[in-house]
Amino acid sequence: MDIKRQVINKFNEIFGADIKNLDNIQQFHEQLENEKHEIEESLSMASTEVPSKVKNAVANVELIRSDVEKSIEAAEELRKSIAKVLEEDNKTPKIKTVIDKIGELEKTLKYLQFLKYIEEISNEMEESMASGNDESMITLFTNLAEINCQLESSSCHNLVNYARETLYYWHNHLKERFSKEYTEVLKTMKWPFCGNNLSALNTIMPETMTRFKILTEYLLQLYLPKNDEPSVKSSLLTDFAPVCLPIALLVRPLRQRFIYHFTGNKQTNRPDKPEWFFTQVLTWIKDHEKWIEKNVQAIADSTGFTYINMKVEFMRALVQLAVEKLHTDLPVAQYDDTHFAHLVDEALGFEHELRDTFLYPANQPATVLVLTQAQIFVKWINMEKKYATEKIDVILNAQSAWERVNGTDLDDMKITECADAFLTLLTTISDRYSHLPQPGHRLQFLELQLELIDDWRVRLLQLLQQDCEDPLNSLIPPILNSLYYVSSVLLEWGDTVHFLQLHYFKKKCDAAELATEEGTDISENYIEENGSVFDDAVALLKRLEKELLDEISDSVALEVKAKSRPYRTDKWFAMQNEKEVASLSVTRTGCPMFEELTKQLHRLNDALSLPLFNIAWRNIASQLDRYLYEGVILENQFNTGGAAQLKYDITRNLFPLFGLYTEKPESYFPLMRESCILLNVLLGSAMLLIEALDGDNEDTAKDVLAEIGIFTLSPTSALTVLKLRTDIVIQ
């Protein structure tokens, strides 16, 4: 059936449905016969050729199989031969045993060589010490220290301990020997150079200075590997790495003086005078820093210890004295608020002096290290809050709180003493915690500042609750000026490096807290959100500022509106034509309104800072524009004289009042300006306008109005104004 279908399809494909195509059937039959003949011939040839080809292929395969089997047999015989030889001649275990033995002997020999080398160095050092050869002793000690460094990773613990103990032994002996001589040299030099010894700087003998340099070089080389340096026992002082030997010996007499004067029952050890010991440490640094840089640093550089900053080492050793003293005094002082606050003030002042004046590195610990201990820090920040709150009370209750600060470059801001003092308080707090190393501590102080800003805002709200008839004569203007100035300064602070860093840390903490609550990862997009730490605080201040500004603007506008009734009810429909009077002058009924507006604007300008006044008069202008449009324009009919008079009052009296504060006052009175245009346009033009505005095409109407300068009034409103003209009669 399939073959039959194929034949039918073939015929349909060749002849199609047209019977005329059957003429080609003879040709198609011949083509099929030819194809059949060719197939039969190919089959005949295949029947004679295929058997021979198959036979040859089978013979080749048999030959290849035979060769493969022979190769496999040969390979198997070779494998057995190799295995037999290896089994007979295998001496690997014996060789391995010999090699391991040699390795152990070599390690033992190396071990003994280290021991012998250490003993030889120790013996040589004894001989050098006996003969007084200091330079040889230092060289040998350096070699011994190098051996200790080489043995750091060794698993031979006994050898390592032996080398370390030998190093300690000679370090202590040499340190004692050179320290004793170093101390004698310092006495000869009359070190330290303070008090009565200041003149000794210029009287040091050359040979004494030479010996000082040599001993300083020796002491610098008496260093211990970092892992062998003595650890600090006090947990507080773990941040203070041991200073180099020369500096430790230079500071020793100063330490003795410090302990003598500032411990025990000495008169100089007064708990209420912490500034005494802080000042003493700063004085010692100031008296000796240049000498240390000039002499000791030069010796260190020439010896190859350029990585040691001798001035910093000297300061660090003296700062440690102050830190130890502060750590001792604070636990007692925390029970007396006054004493505690004074001690914290002096500690912070000491830190600022160190960092700013003497350039003490930021990565080196100082007195803030003590203040940030958990118990002390909590007490500190609570004291800051207490005294800051009391200071705000004093600022707000001062008689001169709302008086202006004179002698500044910002007279237009009309800065009040209240705002200036409050920002000074915030600045002082920032200065006090800016050197804290931990972001978490700084963020807690930032939260305190934000809390104080909000407290100050609430206190201002309480003051504003007092009744007042005239806002311009109340506390509203100075409070407005204070709010604007404080918020402006806070926005500037928000862009400084200090507060930008705090903003980043705060966002990071908030993101971590949110991720913890939701059980998700921290979102980098959340951390990198723009803004500043003062955004929320400034937003609240701006909200209060806007409310007060609206209130004072509304008050001024209300006073002006109260004087406008005669002007609004004047006979605008029966005024003399412009040609009937010699010259136009301000409408008599408008004089009280314009006079009141002039007075109120002057008072407002005098009371508010320039940026606030600019906002206020624009607000007043907008209100008056709407009020006069609705109360004068829409409520009256205007003859030609009335329209001309209104235009004169607005353009020659109202606009100039605001022209003192802007170059284009008319742009702030769009309704009145455009109404005057419509009321004074020529009668013919007015009639054409009415026809255009009466049409249904609003876009065309707007285009027509735009041609005469009308952009604010809608076509409907413009048509209403035009119909208020008495010279136009609407059918």
Side-chain angles (χ1 to χ4, degrees), residues 569-634:
T569 58
D570 209 339
K571 297 179 181 180
W572 298 99
F573 60 89
M575 289 191 177
Q576 288 183 313
N577 192 296
E578 187 178 1
K579 297 178 181 180
E580 297 175 358
V581 295
S583 61
L584 289 175
S585 61
V586 63
T587 307
R588 181 178 58 82
T589 55
C591 289
M593 180 183 69
F594 292 128
E595 182 180 358
E596 183 66 23
L597 179 59
T598 304
K599 182 179 72 173
Q600 292 294 340
L601 287 176
H602 178 74
R603 291 177 63 199
L604 197 63
N605 188 17
D606 187 57
L608 297 181
S609 63
L610 184 59
L612 289 175
F613 173 70
N614 287 334
I615 298 173
W617 73 253
R618 289 182 175 89
N619 191 355
I620 294 169
S622 178
Q623 290 191 49
L624 289 180
D625 185 41
R626 172 62 61 178
Y627 178 74
L628 292 176
Y629 172 73
E630 294 176 352
V632 177
I633 302 294
L634 299 182

Side-chain angles (χ1 to χ4, degrees), residues 34 144 204 315 351:
N34 292 333
L144 193 58
I204 301 175
M315 287 195 292
E351 177 115 1

Side-chain angles (χ1 to χ4, degrees), residues 100-118:
D100 291 344
K101 188 66 175 177
I102 292 173
E104 289 178 6
L105 292 174
E106 286 181 347
K107 290 180 181 178
T108 304
L109 179 62
K110 202 75 173 177
Y111 191 97
L112 294 174
Q113 286 176 347
F114 265 110
L115 287 175
K116 182 180 178 183
Y117 186 46
I118 293 171

Side-chain angles (χ1 to χ4, degrees), residues 531-547:
S532 78
V533 292
F534 296 113
D535 285 348
D536 294 339
V538 169
L540 291 174
L541 294 177
K542 287 295 184 184
R543 181 188 300 176
L544 178 57
E545 175 191 310
K546 184 180 184 304
E547 291 175 358

Side-chain angles (χ1 to χ4, degrees), residues 281-343:
V281 170
L282 292 174
T283 301
W284 284 340
I285 293 174
K286 180 181 178 182
D287 290 344
H288 298 92
E289 61 169 341
K290 292 183 179 178
W291 192 87
I292 294 289
E293 286 182 328
K294 179 181 178 182
N295 297 282
V296 185
Q297 186 64 55
I299 298 171
D301 293 343
S302 63
T303 314
F305 291 89
T306 54
Y307 58 89
I308 301 178
N309 189 324
M310 290 300 178
K311 175 188 171 182
V312 173
E313 292 280 289
F314 182 73
M315 287 195 292
R316 192 155 55 86
L318 291 177
V319 169
Q320 186 172 338
L321 298 176
V323 169
E324 292 172 351
K325 173 65 175 171
L326 181 63
H327 181 59
T328 303
D329 290 353
L330 271 175
V332 179
Q334 65 178 329
Y335 299 105
D336 185 335
D337 288 351
T338 304
H339 183 195
F340 181 85
H342 183 49
L343 186 56

Side-chain angles (χ1 to χ4, degrees), residues 646-647 650 671-681:
L646 178 65
K647 180 180 179 181
I650 298 302
L671 297 177
M672 290 303 297
R673 182 185 67 81
E674 294 179 4
S675 296
C676 288
I677 292 174
L678 292 172
L679 292 175
N680 288 274
V681 71

Side-chain angles (χ1 to χ4, degrees), residues 701-727:
K702 288 182 178 180
D703 293 339
V704 171
L705 290 175
E707 290 178 1
I708 60 171
I710 308 298
F711 303 98
T712 303
L713 291 174
S714 66
T716 303
S717 299
L719 185 60
T720 301
V721 173
L722 286 170
K723 291 179 180 180
L724 296 175
R725 295 174 53 149
T726 58
D727 58 351

Side-chain angles (χ1 to χ4, degrees), residues 224-453:
L224 293 172
K226 289 186 178 180
N227 294 334
D228 294 331
E229 290 178 350
S231 59
V232 181
K233 295 181 180 179
S234 172
S235 60
L236 172 71
L237 302 178
T238 52
D239 291 333
F240 284 91
V243 296
C244 60
L245 271 175
I247 295 298
L249 294 173
L250 286 170
V251 172
R252 181 185 290 175
L254 296 173
R255 173 180 281 275
Q256 291 173 348
R257 295 188 184 195
F258 188 88
I259 294 172
Y260 176 82
H261 287 292
F262 302 113
T263 58
N265 297 322
K266 302 295 187 299
Q267 292 182 352
T268 49
N269 184 32
R270 290 180 53 178
D272 60 331
K273 295 291 184 181
E275 60 269 26
W276 286 0
F277 72 83
F278 284 128
T279 303
Q280 184 62 76
V281 170
L282 292 174
T283 301
W284 284 340
I285 293 174
K286 180 181 178 182
D287 290 344
H288 298 92
E289 61 169 341
K290 292 183 179 178
W291 192 87
I292 294 289
E293 286 182 328
K294 179 181 178 182
N295 297 282
V296 185
Q297 186 64 55
I299 298 171
D301 293 343
S302 63
T303 314
F305 291 89
T306 54
Y307 58 89
I308 301 178
N309 189 324
M310 290 300 178
K311 175 188 171 182
V312 173
E313 292 280 289
F314 182 73
M315 287 195 292
R316 192 155 55 86
L318 291 177
V319 169
Q320 186 172 338
L321 298 176
V323 169
E324 292 172 351
K325 173 65 175 171
L326 181 63
H327 181 59
T328 303
D329 290 353
L330 271 175
V332 179
Q334 65 178 329
Y335 299 105
D336 185 335
D337 288 351
T338 304
H339 183 195
F340 181 85
H342 183 49
L343 186 56
V344 170
D345 285 341
E346 293 301 326
L348 293 172
F350 175 77
E351 177 115 1
H352 277 282
E353 186 75 10
L354 275 176
R355 307 288 187 190
D356 299 337
T357 303
F358 297 105
L359 304 180
Y360 188 65
N363 62 343
Q364 295 296 336
T367 50
V368 165
L369 175 69
V370 186
L371 299 179
T372 52
Q373 296 178 99
Q375 182 179 356
I376 300 300
F377 185 77
V378 171
K379 174 69 176 179
W380 176 21
I381 202 166
N382 287 335
M383 289 297 299
E384 290 283 354
K385 181 177 180 179
K386 174 187 174 183
Y387 282 109
T389 304
E390 292 176 356
K391 181 65 175 177
I392 291 176
D393 290 338
V394 173
I395 291 172
L396 292 173
N397 294 327
Q399 292 183 352
S400 59
W402 306 112
E403 294 181 4
R404 297 175 187 173
V405 178
N406 297 322
T408 66
D409 296 333
L410 303 173
D411 290 339
D412 288 341
M413 297 293 288
K414 295 182 173 60
I415 304 170
T416 63
E417 291 186 9
C418 173
D420 187 60
F422 179 67
L423 288 174
T424 301
L425 173 64
L426 295 180
T427 303
T428 303
I429 294 175
S430 296
D431 292 340
R432 290 161 71 82
Y433 76 83
S434 60
H435 286 303
L436 295 182
Q438 295 298 327
H441 292 145
R442 299 204 298 274
L443 283 176
Q444 292 184 57
F445 270 97
L446 174 64
E447 291 299 327
L448 171 61
Q449 287 180 304
L450 296 176
E451 186 178 341
L452 291 175
I453 293 170

